[in-house]
């Protein structure tokens, strides 16, 4: 597997807190990379930096050979980099279908002028969008609630919808911040299944969580973050056996559900 994303020497400080400290890791083309670590380890900050929400103080981020350090989120989305948020961020007053359309809009739509002039390419894009959404509804298991407003859905469905909005942009790299947090066992299994199928479809993923069992079952490799820096990287087997990881992290793990 060749490298898709490379993070080198990345640091970010907030006042007295060194949230990320000289962090190095890479995501290989076609892999699911887990990032795990206790509360405050810097997991969300790492995603914020890579997705362009914040700029690293130092260090570099390279996507398929291109330096994308500090690039704005909308430009990164056009390069196929999307992310989800730790809290659900679906449009509550909109239907499931409309939410997915918003997610798709960012990359499939060919631009303002085509829409303005009503050209064939805009109509083709509309058709493509609706096809993508139809496929996604099935893919996510949300077909039956397509016309329901997001606010009327159980939390687990809202979480899956948030994931679907990111996938609607047809990403190369999707970064998911705690996609199973707050979900029941069955809901988390469904999310894991959607993630696996998305990966099998050619999307590389970063999955952030603090549940070692969830991450171990899902990911090809795991980066363990501790105080903003990489403590260990390897296969799930390797990291769960690493004495440094057991000391720093597994000893304190609570709910392995
Ligand atoms: N915007 C910000 N301003 C100030 N401090 C921040 C900001 N974002 C994060 N931090 C601090 O940086 C550190 C890392 O936070 P981060 O949210 O990245 O951790 P996390 O690993 O995602 O934790 P959790 O598991 O609780 O989601 C924490 O000490 C946090 O308080
Ligand atoms: Mg977080």
């Amino acid at each position: 597997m060749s490298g898709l994303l490379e993070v080198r020497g990345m640091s970010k400080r907030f006042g007295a807190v060194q949230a990320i400290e000289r962090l190095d890791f890479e995501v290989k083309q076609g892999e699911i990379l887990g990032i795990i670590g206790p509360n405050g380890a810097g997991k969300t900050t790492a995603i914020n930096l890579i997705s362009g929400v914040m700029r690293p103080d130092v260090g570099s981020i390279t996507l398929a050979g291109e330096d994308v350090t500090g690039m704005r989120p909308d430009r990164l989305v056009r390069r196929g980099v999307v992310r989800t948020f730790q809290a659900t961020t679906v449009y509550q007053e909109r239907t499931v279908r409309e939410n997915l359309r918003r997610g798709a809009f960012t990359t499939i739509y060919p631009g303002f002028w085509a829409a303005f002039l009503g050209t064939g390419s805009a109509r083709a894009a509309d058709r493509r969008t609706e096809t993508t959404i139809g496929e996604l509804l099935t893919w996510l298991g949300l077909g039956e609630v397509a016309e329901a407003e997001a606010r009327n859905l159980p939390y687990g469905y809202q979480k899956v919808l948030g994931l679907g909005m990111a996938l609607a942009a047809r990403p190369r790299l999707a970064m998911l911040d705690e996609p199973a947090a707050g979900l029941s066992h069955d809901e988390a299994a469904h999310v894991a299944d959607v993630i696996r199928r998305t990966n099998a479809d050619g999307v590389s993923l970063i999955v952030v969580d603090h549940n070692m069992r969830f991450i171990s079952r899902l990911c090809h490799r795991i980066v363990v973050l501790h105080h903003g820096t990489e403590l260990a990287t390897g296969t799930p087997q390797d990291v769960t056996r690493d004495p440094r990881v057991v000391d720093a992290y597994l000893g304190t793990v609570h709910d392995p559900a």
Side-chain angles (χ1 to χ4, degrees):
M1 286 199 250
S2 60
L4 174 63
L5 183 86
E6 232 183 76
V7 172
R8 292 286 168 249
M10 185 169 81
S11 297
K12 182 72 183 179
R13 173 181 281 275
F14 300 108
V17 178
Q18 189 69 48
I20 297 287
E21 168 107 64
R22 275 171 280 154
L23 180 61
D24 290 318
F25 69 90
E26 66 169 0
V27 182
K28 294 173 185 162
Q29 185 75 51
E31 86 172 332
I32 310 179
L33 180 79
I35 299 184
I36 192 163
N39 293 110
K43 305 180 296 295
T44 297
T45 304
I47 289 191
N48 285 339
L49 294 169
I50 297 166
S51 64
V53 173
M54 293 169 179
R55 208 190 158 89
D57 299 330
V58 293
S60 69
I61 303 162
T62 310
L63 179 75
E66 182 189 11
D67 183 1
V68 296
T69 317
M71 188 176 277
R72 289 201 322 253
D74 57 316
R75 297 183 63 200
L76 282 161
V77 169
R78 268 181 259 137
R79 282 165 174 74
V81 179
V82 302
R83 61 89 56 91
T84 64
F85 292 86
Q86 199 162 339
T88 61
T89 47
V90 299
Y91 298 95
Q92 294 289 334
E93 316 281 309
R94 302 280 171 187
T95 66
V96 167
R97 188 185 298 278
E98 286 163 348
N99 268 284
L100 292 176
R101 202 173 280 141
R102 290 243 176 156
F105 201 85
T106 41
T107 51
I108 296 176
Y109 221 65
F112 171 75
W113 287 109
F116 183 71
L117 299 169
T119 62
S121 76
R123 282 193 296 274
D126 285 344
R127 277 199 301 276
R128 217 155 69 223
T129 305
E130 294 313 312
T131 308
T132 301
I133 290 168
E135 285 167 5
L136 257 178
L137 285 166
T138 310
W139 185 260
L140 300 166
L142 294 177
E144 284 180 14
V145 293
E147 313 312 330
E149 285 181 18
R151 62 179 168 173
N152 295 326
L153 298 179
Y155 184 71
Y157 281 63
Q158 295 197 21
K159 204 79 182 158
V160 171
L161 178 56
L163 174 56
M165 287 173 72
L167 299 182
R170 291 183 178 269
R172 275 208 276 184
L173 174 67
M175 300 185 280
L176 315 180
D177 198 352
E178 305 208 14
L183 301 189
S184 71
H185 185 271
D186 287 352
E187 290 169 333
H190 175 55
V191 165
D193 179 52
V194 170
I195 293 171
R196 273 192 206 99
R197 282 188 282 125
T198 301
N199 177 247
D201 206 39
V203 180
S204 306
L205 294 114
I206 295 178
V207 181
V208 162
D209 209 287
H210 42 205
N211 184 325
M212 183 61 98
R213 187 177 294 187
F214 179 77
I215 287 286
S216 294
R217 286 180 177 170
L218 189 60
C219 299
H220 301 116
R221 290 189 311 132
I222 298 174
V223 174
V224 181
L225 263 191
H226 191 57
H227 300 309
T229 198
E230 180 232 335
L231 181 69
T233 300
T235 63
Q237 266 196 340
D238 290 344
V239 297
T240 49
R241 285 185 192 148
D242 189 316
R244 291 168 306 169
V245 177
V246 174
D247 268 4
Y249 183 52
L250 289 180
T252 65
V253 89
H254 34 279
D255 161 39

